[in-house]
Amino acid sequence: MKKSLVLAMAMALGVTASAYAANPFSDVPAGHWAYDSIAKLAAAGVIDGYGDTTFKGDRLMTRYEMAQIVAKAMAKGANVDKLAAEFADELDALGVRVAALEKKADNVKITGQIRYRYIQNKYEKDGDTSKPSQSDLRTRLIFTGKVNDNWDYVTRLQNIQSFHKDSDTTTIGHDAQGDAVTKVNTYDYTGEDSDVKINRAFLTGHLGEVNVKAGRADLWLADGQVYDDTFDGISMDVGDKYKFGAFWGKMTEAAANTEWDDTSDEAWGVNVDFALGHSTNLFGGYTDISLKEDEDYGKIFNDDNVKITNAGLKFGITDDVALTGGYLHTNADDNENGWYAILGLWGADYKKPGSFGFQANYYYQPAASAQSHTMNGDVISQDLWADGFKGYSVSASYTVAKNMMATVEYYDLKSREDSGTKNKMVYSEFQLRF
């Protein structure tokens, strides 16, 4: 240990060295320049030596050994900010929070995501086939501002620059004779600046033991098989091993809104998650989506609300293998019951270059259950949503470098009715985070 480092750390403890007269180590003579400082650090419990009464002061120290000493000094109240900053990674690995540095950090944290993707679809219906494709670049900046020790305010800016997207036709409802009413979507690729928008803005924190999100935040229901998108409202949960949650507000990207032009007034729901063991969870929930009274949904629903019940079990077979199964029920007139299964292997991690993940899903979902599915792309058409769908998907992800991941996914879905509707999609993306 360098002379200046020993003296500085000893001084930082703020106790006079004369209080320690005994020679702590056999290889540190009383006349040595570091004797008093080493005696002080040893008496304070910051340094231990090697258990054989020796200090071995000439031996080179590893960074982890140094981090342990800094951590002990911090626990004693020493002012070691510069050392803590130097060994921040090692201290983090040891589970030590550098509180003093955290207090001095900027009050606003900025993170970001940049994603390029290419999608190739194949839609089949009544013998007709279309193969629309698209490619785009999505940029997100996330600002997290600390309000106080209990609350943060999070805002996310997003821009999507579309390089290419084929025009397509969307079914938006049915007329009195039951015939489909469609609209043609057109796309403009020139207004990137005007497309920048705040699509997340919420307050998050806790009131006692209750965790709260309020504002425009994310909502994730039934492993994303029901909803995985933006939600305007408030959500709460309480508990750790046994967690209870509730939400109220509006699902801004629910199928009833995006397909039928803002027909959903509000939504509410409750959910539970019980940890049954080290890697086993039992979960369930109920979701109720109100629909505007002037709309007619008699062809699909037996009342004015969409009601969805789900239950499932997630089981970690090993640290690298997990299996999830879930049951879904809606209040649709037909195809109201269904299920899904998810097999996850390994897992790509943005922080671990070379890590790889694979996932296989099977879907047998009831009508109206996929309000905004966790699937990437736009493979669930209005027909599949209204009829219910069945099929599978497979995906693979690989961390190319730290904070850079490549993903490829394949979907093959078809209607649970004999309508001849089939949708297939190849989805690929490259995403980096900072």
Side-chain angles (χ1 to χ4, degrees), residues 130-282:
S130 63
K131 297 181 180 180
S133 62
Q134 69 182 87
S135 62
D136 55 50
L137 179 69
R138 185 186 71 188
T139 303
R140 288 174 171 174
L141 290 177
I142 302 101
F143 301 84
T144 303
K146 180 162 287 297
V147 179
N148 54 44
D149 290 340
N150 293 332
W151 293 90
D152 293 330
Y153 189 77
V154 181
T155 301
R156 190 175 79 185
L157 294 176
Q158 177 173 292
N159 166 253
I160 297 179
Q161 181 181 359
S162 184
F163 301 121
H164 143 247
K165 186 172 183 179
D166 297 332
S167 296
D168 56 24
T169 301
T170 300
T171 300
I172 60 175
H174 296 79
D175 58 23
Q177 289 73 39
D179 296 326
V181 177
T182 63
K183 66 176 181 180
V184 177
N185 300 313
T186 57
Y187 304 96
D188 178 14
Y189 311 114
T190 61
E192 291 88 7
D193 292 340
S194 62
D195 290 338
V196 176
K197 61 182 180 179
I198 296 177
N199 66 354
R200 298 291 187 276
F202 60 93
L203 189 66
T204 179
H206 56 87
L207 295 172
E209 298 298 320
V210 181
N211 300 309
V212 180
K213 282 186 178 181
R216 173 162 289 192
D218 292 306
L219 184 66
W220 193 72
L221 302 175
D223 285 311
Q225 313 302 299
V226 170
Y227 199 79
D228 180 15
D229 221 309
T230 308
F231 176 76
D232 287 350
I234 184 169
S235 62
M236 299 175 288
D237 67 73
V238 61
D240 184 16
K241 184 176 180 180
Y242 304 110
K243 183 177 291 186
F244 301 85
F247 63 90
W248 176 86
K250 183 175 182 178
M251 295 178 175
T252 60
E253 300 301 317
N257 287 326
T258 58
E259 299 291 350
W260 288 326
D261 193 21
D262 288 329
T263 57
S264 170
D265 283 332
E266 64 180 36
W268 65 273
V270 293
N271 49 75
V272 295
D273 190 312
F274 299 151
L276 303 181
H278 173 65
S279 55
T280 303
N281 287 69
L282 178 67

Side-chain angles (χ1 to χ4, degrees), residues 295-355:
E295 300 290 346
D296 180 13
Y297 294 92
K299 292 176 65 63
I300 302 176
F301 310 107
N302 53 31
D303 60 21
D304 290 332
N305 290 17
V306 181
K307 300 176 181 179
I308 306 170
T309 304
N310 73 282
L313 180 69
K314 182 175 182 178
F315 177 63
I317 301 173
T318 69
D319 290 340
D320 296 326
V321 182
L323 182 63
T324 301
Y327 166 77
L328 295 167
H329 172 78
T330 71
N331 61 324
D333 290 339
D334 297 303
N335 299 324
E336 70 273 21
N337 295 305
W339 59 278
Y340 64 91
I342 305 171
L343 174 65
L345 302 177
W346 310 292
D349 188 332
Y350 277 94
K351 296 181 180 179
K352 298 180 180 179
S355 59

Side-chain angles (χ1 to χ4, degrees), residues 24-27 48-56:
F25 303 110
S26 60
D27 59 346
D48 302 319
Y50 284 86
D52 58 355
T53 75
T54 63
F55 179 65
K56 299 182 181 178

